[in-house]
Amino acid sequence: QVQLVESGGGLVQPGGSLRLSCAGSGLAFATYDMRWYRQAPGKERELVASILRTGRSTNYLDSVKGRFTISRDNVKKMAYLQMNSLRPEDTAVYYCNAHYSDYGTRDYWGQGTQVTVSS
């Protein structure tokens, strides 16, 4: 049974930092690209950051470039999203996604973790 479990969300003041973690189990973690999505109330889910299975390539939503950093540890089966200089508009539920695309396509999702940026 595949599981992705996010942690690290919470309430933070503008300008603050949070580190989200995603723990994977039941999957060949190193064969999946890892992504972080977010969904704010009344808005569509958007891709925030992605990292390829090797960890050598990353991509970011324009609005988070220079503030967020995605990383992974294939030995520990963990993915991370370091979020600095947080803004109220970063408030959303953040979801971890594991994406496989070698032979067919598979996607797994975590349950989400709430991030609220407010003074």
Side-chain angles (χ1 to χ4, degrees), residues 31-33 35 52-53 98-107:
T31 66
Y32 286 75
D33 300 332
R35 302 167 174 178
L52 295 185
R53 63 199 70 182
H99 177 73
Y100 176 87
S101 58
D102 274 353
Y103 300 100
T105 300
R106 286 194 294 276
D107 281 276

Side-chain angles (χ1 to χ4, degrees), residues 44-60:
E44 292 188 355
R45 189 173 296 191
E46 63 180 355
L47 177 60
V48 176
S50 62
I51 185 167
L52 295 185
R53 63 199 70 182
T54 62
R56 293 177 186 169
S57 180
T58 59
N59 281 289
Y60 297 93

